[in-house]
Each structure stands twice: as C-alpha cells, then as structure tokens.
Amino acid sequence: MSLHEKNAWWGLVSGVLIWLWLAMRFTDGGHIVEVSPGHAVETYVGMIVLWIIAAVIPSVLAARDPAAQAKDERDRAIDALGDRWEGVIVVIAVNVLVVHALAHDYYVDRVPSVPRLDLGSTSTLVFVLLTVLFLADAVKQSLVVWQYRR
C-alpha cells in the first residue's frame, strides 16, 4: 500500500470519526437539537482543531522518509479526480438545500411527505453545512482509495 493510499485511508477514517464527534455534539436520538451559540462555536473550534491534528499526523509520520512523499502522474491524476468529485458533491448538496428551502416556503399549505429540516435554526444550518463538507471529503477520500485499489 503506497503512502498516498495510506493517507487517503487515514483521511477517510479520521473524517468519519470527527463527523461522529460533531454529530454527538449537535444531535440527540438522531435529531438535530437547538444548541446555544457558545456550544456551537466551541464545537466548531474543536472540530477545526481535530481536523488540523488529523491532517498533520500523516505529514509528521511521512517526514521520516521524504522520498516516499514524491507524487507521480498517477497520484496527481487520482488527487485531481477526487477533488473534482468533492466539488460535484458540494454543488449537488447545496442545490438540494436550496430546493428544500424554496419548497418549504412555497408549499406552506401542504403536509410534507418527508421530514423537513428547519433551516431557519442556526444549529440545524451549521450542522447541515458541516455535514455537507464532511460528506464531500468522505467521497473524495473513498474515490482516492478506490482508484488505488483498481
């Protein structure tokens, strides 16, 4: 397994664990709960610190063998493919949220067939947007791992 594939696995696993920590702080029983602004900021800063630590660990470990860090054409192409799909996921998710918000306001007189997100709630909006970022990163890392396994 190459260093780049190991980094993708690390990014995928650490990203999922950090998102689970975020979900633990914003949800209760599978439902997004209203949290105080202080709690939301504390959670956001904690998430950023965890993400920085998770990004630094592979670099520190890889510094022992600088030759293994060199990327060839295949590594660059795989990274570029992962970056493209990460962007596609963000665009799709943002459009789903926009359509959801517009439908919520346009069809106020109808009973929804699917649960509605209260995007007017700061806690819900923050959690949903951060989840979109985590989802996009998970798709990128999964795609990178899949490309190396092919």
Side-chain angles (χ1 to χ4, degrees), residues 114-134:
V114 294
R116 290 184 182 176
L117 290 173
D118 179 18
L119 295 178
S121 162
T122 303
S123 297
T124 303
L125 187 60
V126 167
F127 182 72
V128 168
L129 290 175
L130 290 175
T131 297
V132 165
L133 294 177
F134 276 99

PDB file of all heavy atoms in Angstrom, residues 114-134:
ATOM      1  N   VAL A 114     -41.927  13.990   3.420  1.00  0.00           N
ATOM      2  CA  VAL A 114     -40.618  13.703   4.019  1.00  0.00           C
ATOM      3  C   VAL A 114     -40.375  14.715   5.138  1.00  0.00           C
ATOM      4  O   VAL A 114     -40.910  15.821   5.100  1.00  0.00           O
ATOM      5  CB  VAL A 114     -39.480  13.784   2.970  1.00  0.00           C
ATOM      6  CG1 VAL A 114     -39.610  12.702   1.939  1.00  0.00           C
ATOM      7  CG2 VAL A 114     -39.421  15.140   2.325  1.00  0.00           C
ATOM      8  N   PRO A 115     -39.600  14.339   6.125  1.00  0.00           N
ATOM      9  CA  PRO A 115     -39.329  15.283   7.217  1.00  0.00           C
ATOM     10  C   PRO A 115     -38.629  16.534   6.700  1.00  0.00           C
ATOM     11  O   PRO A 115     -37.786  16.471   5.807  1.00  0.00           O
ATOM     12  CB  PRO A 115     -38.405  14.509   8.157  1.00  0.00           C
ATOM     13  CG  PRO A 115     -38.454  13.103   7.726  1.00  0.00           C
ATOM     14  CD  PRO A 115     -38.940  13.063   6.321  1.00  0.00           C
ATOM     15  N   ARG A 116     -39.001  17.661   7.253  1.00  0.00           N
ATOM     16  CA  ARG A 116     -38.398  18.928   6.849  1.00  0.00           C
ATOM     17  C   ARG A 116     -37.286  19.315   7.814  1.00  0.00           C
ATOM     18  O   ARG A 116     -37.400  19.106   9.016  1.00  0.00           O
ATOM     19  CB  ARG A 116     -39.441  20.042   6.863  1.00  0.00           C
ATOM     20  CG  ARG A 116     -40.471  19.926   5.790  1.00  0.00           C
ATOM     21  CD  ARG A 116     -41.386  21.109   5.837  1.00  0.00           C
ATOM     22  NE  ARG A 116     -42.409  20.989   4.826  1.00  0.00           N
ATOM     23  CZ  ARG A 116     -43.394  21.849   4.689  1.00  0.00           C
ATOM     24  NH1 ARG A 116     -43.509  22.866   5.513  1.00  0.00           N
ATOM     25  NH2 ARG A 116     -44.285  21.683   3.744  1.00  0.00           N
ATOM     26  N   LEU A 117     -36.251  19.885   7.267  1.00  0.00           N
ATOM     27  CA  LEU A 117     -35.206  20.474   8.090  1.00  0.00           C
ATOM     28  C   LEU A 117     -35.577  21.924   8.350  1.00  0.00           C
ATOM     29  O   LEU A 117     -36.003  22.628   7.435  1.00  0.00           O
ATOM     30  CB  LEU A 117     -33.854  20.432   7.370  1.00  0.00           C
ATOM     31  CG  LEU A 117     -33.197  19.083   7.199  1.00  0.00           C
ATOM     32  CD1 LEU A 117     -31.968  19.227   6.316  1.00  0.00           C
ATOM     33  CD2 LEU A 117     -32.812  18.505   8.539  1.00  0.00           C
ATOM     34  N   ASP A 118     -35.419  22.360   9.563  1.00  0.00           N
ATOM     35  CA  ASP A 118     -35.683  23.757   9.890  1.00  0.00           C
ATOM     36  C   ASP A 118     -34.416  24.551   9.622  1.00  0.00           C
ATOM     37  O   ASP A 118     -33.593  24.752  10.512  1.00  0.00           O
ATOM     38  CB  ASP A 118     -36.112  23.882  11.356  1.00  0.00           C
ATOM     39  CG  ASP A 118     -36.369  25.319  11.747  1.00  0.00           C
ATOM     40  OD1 ASP A 118     -36.558  26.167  10.842  1.00  0.00           O
ATOM     41  OD2 ASP A 118     -36.382  25.605  12.965  1.00  0.00           O
ATOM     42  N   LEU A 119     -34.235  24.979   8.380  1.00  0.00           N
ATOM     43  CA  LEU A 119     -33.024  25.694   8.019  1.00  0.00           C
ATOM     44  C   LEU A 119     -32.997  27.104   8.588  1.00  0.00           C
ATOM     45  O   LEU A 119     -32.010  27.809   8.441  1.00  0.00           O
ATOM     46  CB  LEU A 119     -32.855  25.716   6.495  1.00  0.00           C
ATOM     47  CG  LEU A 119     -32.643  24.346   5.858  1.00  0.00           C
ATOM     48  CD1 LEU A 119     -32.548  24.472   4.345  1.00  0.00           C
ATOM     49  CD2 LEU A 119     -31.408  23.672   6.409  1.00  0.00           C
ATOM     50  N   GLY A 120     -34.070  27.523   9.251  1.00  0.00           N
ATOM     51  CA  GLY A 120     -34.086  28.802   9.942  1.00  0.00           C
ATOM     52  C   GLY A 120     -33.368  28.729  11.270  1.00  0.00           C
ATOM     53  O   GLY A 120     -33.027  29.741  11.866  1.00  0.00           O
ATOM     54  N   SER A 121     -33.132  27.529  11.752  1.00  0.00           N
ATOM     55  CA  SER A 121     -32.425  27.308  13.004  1.00  0.00           C
ATOM     56  C   SER A 121     -30.923  27.337  12.747  1.00  0.00           C
ATOM     57  O   SER A 121     -30.421  26.629  11.873  1.00  0.00           O
ATOM     58  CB  SER A 121     -32.831  25.955  13.593  1.00  0.00           C
ATOM     59  OG  SER A 121     -31.895  25.527  14.544  1.00  0.00           O
ATOM     60  N   THR A 122     -30.210  28.124  13.506  1.00  0.00           N
ATOM     61  CA  THR A 122     -28.762  28.224  13.329  1.00  0.00           C
ATOM     62  C   THR A 122     -28.081  26.886  13.566  1.00  0.00           C
ATOM     63  O   THR A 122     -27.186  26.492  12.812  1.00  0.00           O
ATOM     64  CB  THR A 122     -28.180  29.284  14.284  1.00  0.00           C
ATOM     65  OG1 THR A 122     -28.833  30.532  14.037  1.00  0.00           O
ATOM     66  CG2 THR A 122     -26.696  29.452  14.093  1.00  0.00           C
ATOM     67  N   SER A 123     -28.505  26.170  14.590  1.00  0.00           N
ATOM     68  CA  SER A 123     -27.890  24.867  14.881  1.00  0.00           C
ATOM     69  C   SER A 123     -28.059  23.908  13.716  1.00  0.00           C
ATOM     70  O   SER A 123     -27.108  23.216  13.327  1.00  0.00           O
ATOM     71  CB  SER A 123     -28.519  24.253  16.134  1.00  0.00           C
ATOM     72  OG  SER A 123     -28.282  25.054  17.246  1.00  0.00           O
ATOM     73  N   THR A 124     -29.247  23.847  13.161  1.00  0.00           N
ATOM     74  CA  THR A 124     -29.508  22.952  12.037  1.00  0.00           C
ATOM     75  C   THR A 124     -28.702  23.365  10.816  1.00  0.00           C
ATOM     76  O   THR A 124     -28.088  22.521  10.158  1.00  0.00           O
ATOM     77  CB  THR A 124     -31.012  22.936  11.696  1.00  0.00           C
ATOM     78  OG1 THR A 124     -31.734  22.555  12.851  1.00  0.00           O
ATOM     79  CG2 THR A 124     -31.305  22.002  10.554  1.00  0.00           C
ATOM     80  N   LEU A 125     -28.684  24.642  10.522  1.00  0.00           N
ATOM     81  CA  LEU A 125     -27.956  25.130   9.359  1.00  0.00           C
ATOM     82  C   LEU A 125     -26.459  24.835   9.477  1.00  0.00           C
ATOM     83  O   LEU A 125     -25.837  24.336   8.529  1.00  0.00           O
ATOM     84  CB  LEU A 125     -28.184  26.634   9.181  1.00  0.00           C
ATOM     85  CG  LEU A 125     -27.629  27.249   7.909  1.00  0.00           C
ATOM     86  CD1 LEU A 125     -28.258  26.610   6.684  1.00  0.00           C
ATOM     87  CD2 LEU A 125     -27.869  28.743   7.915  1.00  0.00           C
ATOM     88  N   VAL A 126     -25.886  25.096  10.649  1.00  0.00           N
ATOM     89  CA  VAL A 126     -24.462  24.832  10.863  1.00  0.00           C
ATOM     90  C   VAL A 126     -24.178  23.338  10.720  1.00  0.00           C
ATOM     91  O   VAL A 126     -23.238  22.935  10.024  1.00  0.00           O
ATOM     92  CB  VAL A 126     -24.010  25.362  12.242  1.00  0.00           C
ATOM     93  CG1 VAL A 126     -22.644  24.830  12.620  1.00  0.00           C
ATOM     94  CG2 VAL A 126     -24.012  26.873  12.252  1.00  0.00           C
ATOM     95  N   PHE A 127     -24.992  22.511  11.357  1.00  0.00           N
ATOM     96  CA  PHE A 127     -24.762  21.068  11.296  1.00  0.00           C
ATOM     97  C   PHE A 127     -24.902  20.539   9.872  1.00  0.00           C
ATOM     98  O   PHE A 127     -24.079  19.731   9.418  1.00  0.00           O
ATOM     99  CB  PHE A 127     -25.717  20.326  12.232  1.00  0.00           C
ATOM    100  CG  PHE A 127     -25.500  18.842  12.240  1.00  0.00           C
ATOM    101  CD1 PHE A 127     -24.386  18.291  12.848  1.00  0.00           C
ATOM    102  CD2 PHE A 127     -26.402  17.994  11.621  1.00  0.00           C
ATOM    103  CE1 PHE A 127     -24.160  16.923  12.833  1.00  0.00           C
ATOM    104  CE2 PHE A 127     -26.196  16.626  11.611  1.00  0.00           C
ATOM    105  CZ  PHE A 127     -25.075  16.091  12.223  1.00  0.00           C
ATOM    106  N   VAL A 128     -25.906  20.987   9.155  1.00  0.00           N
ATOM    107  CA  VAL A 128     -26.123  20.514   7.779  1.00  0.00           C
ATOM    108  C   VAL A 128     -24.979  20.949   6.869  1.00  0.00           C
ATOM    109  O   VAL A 128     -24.469  20.148   6.075  1.00  0.00           O
ATOM    110  CB  VAL A 128     -27.489  21.000   7.249  1.00  0.00           C
ATOM    111  CG1 VAL A 128     -27.610  20.791   5.753  1.00  0.00           C
ATOM    112  CG2 VAL A 128     -28.625  20.299   7.971  1.00  0.00           C
ATOM    113  N   LEU A 129     -24.543  22.194   6.971  1.00  0.00           N
ATOM    114  CA  LEU A 129     -23.449  22.658   6.116  1.00  0.00           C
ATOM    115  C   LEU A 129     -22.142  21.939   6.428  1.00  0.00           C
ATOM    116  O   LEU A 129     -21.394  21.565   5.510  1.00  0.00           O
ATOM    117  CB  LEU A 129     -23.278  24.174   6.258  1.00  0.00           C
ATOM    118  CG  LEU A 129     -24.403  25.007   5.646  1.00  0.00           C
ATOM    119  CD1 LEU A 129     -24.190  26.488   5.958  1.00  0.00           C
ATOM    120  CD2 LEU A 129     -24.526  24.786   4.156  1.00  0.00           C
ATOM    121  N   LEU A 130     -21.858  21.725   7.708  1.00  0.00           N
ATOM    122  CA  LEU A 130     -20.645  20.991   8.063  1.00  0.00           C
ATOM    123  C   LEU A 130     -20.737  19.532   7.617  1.00  0.00           C
ATOM    124  O   LEU A 130     -19.745  18.946   7.183  1.00  0.00           O
ATOM    125  CB  LEU A 130     -20.378  21.092   9.566  1.00  0.00           C
ATOM    126  CG  LEU A 130     -19.960  22.475  10.053  1.00  0.00           C
ATOM    127  CD1 LEU A 130     -19.834  22.492  11.566  1.00  0.00           C
ATOM    128  CD2 LEU A 130     -18.681  22.945   9.392  1.00  0.00           C
ATOM    129  N   THR A 131     -21.930  18.960   7.689  1.00  0.00           N
ATOM    130  CA  THR A 131     -22.124  17.588   7.213  1.00  0.00           C
ATOM    131  C   THR A 131     -21.879  17.497   5.708  1.00  0.00           C
ATOM    132  O   THR A 131     -21.288  16.520   5.226  1.00  0.00           O
ATOM    133  CB  THR A 131     -23.531  17.088   7.576  1.00  0.00           C
ATOM    134  OG1 THR A 131     -23.647  17.061   9.004  1.00  0.00           O
ATOM    135  CG2 THR A 131     -23.804  15.708   7.028  1.00  0.00           C
ATOM    136  N   VAL A 132     -22.292  18.518   4.969  1.00  0.00           N
ATOM    137  CA  VAL A 132     -22.030  18.548   3.526  1.00  0.00           C
ATOM    138  C   VAL A 132     -20.526  18.536   3.270  1.00  0.00           C
ATOM    139  O   VAL A 132     -20.034  17.800   2.400  1.00  0.00           O
ATOM    140  CB  VAL A 132     -22.693  19.787   2.874  1.00  0.00           C
ATOM    141  CG1 VAL A 132     -22.148  20.041   1.480  1.00  0.00           C
ATOM    142  CG2 VAL A 132     -24.200  19.620   2.837  1.00  0.00           C
ATOM    143  N   LEU A 133     -19.775  19.328   4.030  1.00  0.00           N
ATOM    144  CA  LEU A 133     -18.318  19.351   3.851  1.00  0.00           C
ATOM    145  C   LEU A 133     -17.690  18.003   4.184  1.00  0.00           C
ATOM    146  O   LEU A 133     -16.806  17.524   3.460  1.00  0.00           O
ATOM    147  CB  LEU A 133     -17.704  20.457   4.706  1.00  0.00           C
ATOM    148  CG  LEU A 133     -18.071  21.882   4.300  1.00  0.00           C
ATOM    149  CD1 LEU A 133     -17.458  22.882   5.269  1.00  0.00           C
ATOM    150  CD2 LEU A 133     -17.628  22.172   2.883  1.00  0.00           C
ATOM    151  N   PHE A 134     -18.151  17.382   5.270  1.00  0.00           N
ATOM    152  CA  PHE A 134     -17.630  16.069   5.639  1.00  0.00           C
ATOM    153  C   PHE A 134     -17.994  15.022   4.593  1.00  0.00           C
ATOM    154  O   PHE A 134     -17.177  14.159   4.257  1.00  0.00           O
ATOM    155  CB  PHE A 134     -18.141  15.638   7.017  1.00  0.00           C
ATOM    156  CG  PHE A 134     -17.341  16.189   8.145  1.00  0.00           C
ATOM    157  CD1 PHE A 134     -17.769  17.298   8.839  1.00  0.00           C
ATOM    158  CD2 PHE A 134     -16.145  15.605   8.530  1.00  0.00           C
ATOM    159  CE1 PHE A 134     -17.032  17.814   9.890  1.00  0.00           C
ATOM    160  CE2 PHE A 134     -15.397  16.104   9.580  1.00  0.00           C
ATOM    161  CZ  PHE A 134     -15.846  17.221  10.257  1.00  0.00           C
TER     162      PHE A 134
END
